[in-house]
Amino acid sequence: MGTTYSIKAIPIEKNMDTQILKIGIDSVLFSLDKQMSTWDPNSEISQFNLTHSTEPYVISESFRMVVKEALDVSEKTDGFFDITVFDLMGIWGFGPDPNSGIPDQKQVETVLSYTGYEKISVTDKAVIKEHPQTKLDLNAIAKGYAVDEVFHFLQSKGFTDLFVEIGGEVQCSGRNQLNKSWSIGIENPSGGNTSNQIFAGIVYLDDGAVATSGNYRNVVDLNGNTLGHTINPKTGYPIQTNVLSVTVLSNSCMVADAWATALMVMDYETGLKRVTENSDIKAIWILDKKDGSRYIAKSVGTKIDDSIYEIIG
């Protein structure tokens, strides 16, 4: 997945063989990588992307579940979350097979003609593309699913005080070694008036998942304007927004991961409305003011501590 993982757990017995646990964890991650990694040309998703068939394409159950959840989030966000953006990412210089340079409008329109979550459907055992050129990119949801799977694997081994993190996405339960709630730092986006601070705030959890999406690291230059890697699947262009990052809290890291990406595409007002409509998620936004200062907005019932910015909501 091109990232690291970190696991913290209170031992359930003395002298546990952590090497055996690590082998089990790595086997879970390897299996998911072989299913959903677009960076592996032999993975299930890469083979699906290569086919031009519009007949049902049989896939593994985990792959199918992730696609099904992705389509559900797409419906709830009116298409702001979309897993058919593989070629859109590519023409903007992102992903495993990126183009160089900036695409012209005709290129964008061509790719948009075969993207859109409505062009993908799922059956009990298969996924179907309605257009032969449609390709999937699960990078905005598969990592969260991997967190959930590793978490459930460790739960099956008897762990109850548990913290699983992959590339910044987290699922946790119980308490830490000090018998306190797990603390998850929200990274302070680069730039601004407080760029010397590592964290913008801290979320404390006894149970649940946290995922953050930011738009300030992976960037392209468009006529002198720095644009983030978040592509609006409706327009085909990188977003221009004052939303620097969105952190989503949910019971599922897969859900949190997908929603964090979707909310990055929306403006804050639209995002807040969507979050308010869905009781299974909460959200925290870091917003940029034109004067270089920033503030934090949050949905009702969301708690964040030790913030270096003004908090509203």
Side-chain angles (χ1 to χ4, degrees):
M1 299 181 184
T3 189
T4 61
Y5 73 76
S6 172
I7 293 170
K8 300 174 183 179
I10 306 301
I12 52 179
E13 60 185 50
K14 291 183 177 180
N15 303 317
M16 287 193 65
D17 191 337
T18 55
Q19 187 60 30
I20 292 178
L21 276 179
K22 186 178 185 302
I23 291 171
I25 292 162
D26 286 343
S27 68
V28 172
L29 295 175
F30 180 79
S31 174
L32 297 180
D33 211 48
K34 295 303 290 183
Q35 294 173 37
M36 293 176 265
S37 173
T38 54
W39 300 87
D40 180 353
N42 297 314
S43 68
E44 278 191 69
I45 192 170
S46 293
Q47 293 302 304
F48 173 78
N49 286 344
L50 285 173
T51 183
H52 285 173
S53 172
T54 55
E55 294 298 312
Y57 189 97
V58 178
I59 57 175
S60 62
E61 178 58 16
S62 293
F63 189 174
R64 192 192 72 84
M65 282 180 56
V66 171
V67 173
K68 188 174 184 297
E69 179 63 37
L71 295 179
D72 181 64
V73 176
S74 293
E75 289 185 6
K76 290 178 178 177
T77 61
D78 192 29
F80 279 110
F81 182 77
D82 197 324
I83 56 171
T84 68
V85 295
F86 182 91
D87 279 347
L88 278 179
M89 298 296 290
I91 63 174
W92 283 101
F94 303 110
D97 189 24
N99 290 359
S100 59
I102 303 297
D104 57 34
Q105 188 170 346
K106 185 177 180 181
Q107 283 179 285
V108 173
E109 289 175 353
T110 298
V111 175
L112 282 177
S113 69
Y114 59 84
T115 60
Y117 77 95
E118 304 95 339
K119 293 180 173 62
I120 293 290
S121 57
V122 177
T123 67
D124 288 342
K125 294 185 178 180
V127 61
I128 305 167
K129 59 172 75 178
E130 294 185 10
H131 192 290
Q133 288 181 270
T134 301
K135 299 181 182 70
L136 297 180
D137 184 335
L138 299 177
N139 289 329
I141 188 171
K143 188 167 63 174
Y145 179 74
V147 171
D148 290 337
E149 287 298 285
V150 171
F151 182 82
H152 294 148
F153 167 76
L154 291 169
Q155 278 190 323
S156 74
K157 300 299 180 182
F159 290 97
T160 56
D161 298 300
L162 181 60
F163 180 98
V164 176
E165 175 265 335
I166 302 178
E169 321 291 35
V170 171
Q171 175 78 276
C172 63
S173 66
R175 294 294 184 102
N176 65 18
Q177 69 272 28
L178 301 177
N179 197 31
K180 294 183 178 180
S181 300
W182 298 103
S183 57
I184 299 100
I186 298 176
E187 184 177 0
N188 182 30
S190 56
N193 296 338
T194 55
S195 57
N196 60 322
Q197 300 288 330
I198 298 175
F199 298 115
I202 299 173
V203 173
Y204 295 99
L205 283 182
D206 292 332
D207 184 55
V210 178
T212 297
S213 181
N215 205 40
Y216 50 90
R217 282 186 172 179
N218 205 358
V219 298
V220 295
D221 185 277
L222 178 60
N223 300 324
N225 294 315
T226 299
L227 300 179
H229 72 285
T230 303
I231 308 295
N232 185 330
K234 294 172 175 284
T235 66
Y237 283 84
I239 61 170
Q240 291 181 283
T241 177
N242 71 327
V243 179
L244 295 175
S245 78
V246 183
T247 297
V248 175
L249 290 75
S250 179
N251 291 326
S252 158
C253 198
M254 172 173 62
V255 170
D257 195 8
W259 271 95
T261 300
L263 293 171
M264 273 302 308
V265 181
M266 307 177 200
D267 59 64
Y268 162 64
E269 289 77 13
T270 301
L272 179 61
K273 183 176 183 295
R274 297 289 183 183
V275 171
T276 304
E277 292 169 347
N278 289 274
S279 59
D280 56 339
I281 57 171
K282 296 178 181 179
I284 299 166
W285 293 259
I286 299 180
L287 304 170
D288 192 29
K289 294 183 179 179
K290 293 182 179 180
D291 62 2
S293 62
R294 296 167 177 180
Y295 64 98
I296 290 176
K298 59 187 180 68
S299 58
V300 175
T302 310
K303 295 181 179 179
I304 178 172
D305 293 334
D306 299 326
S307 173
I308 59 174
Y309 301 124
E310 176 189 0
I311 300 177
I312 64 172

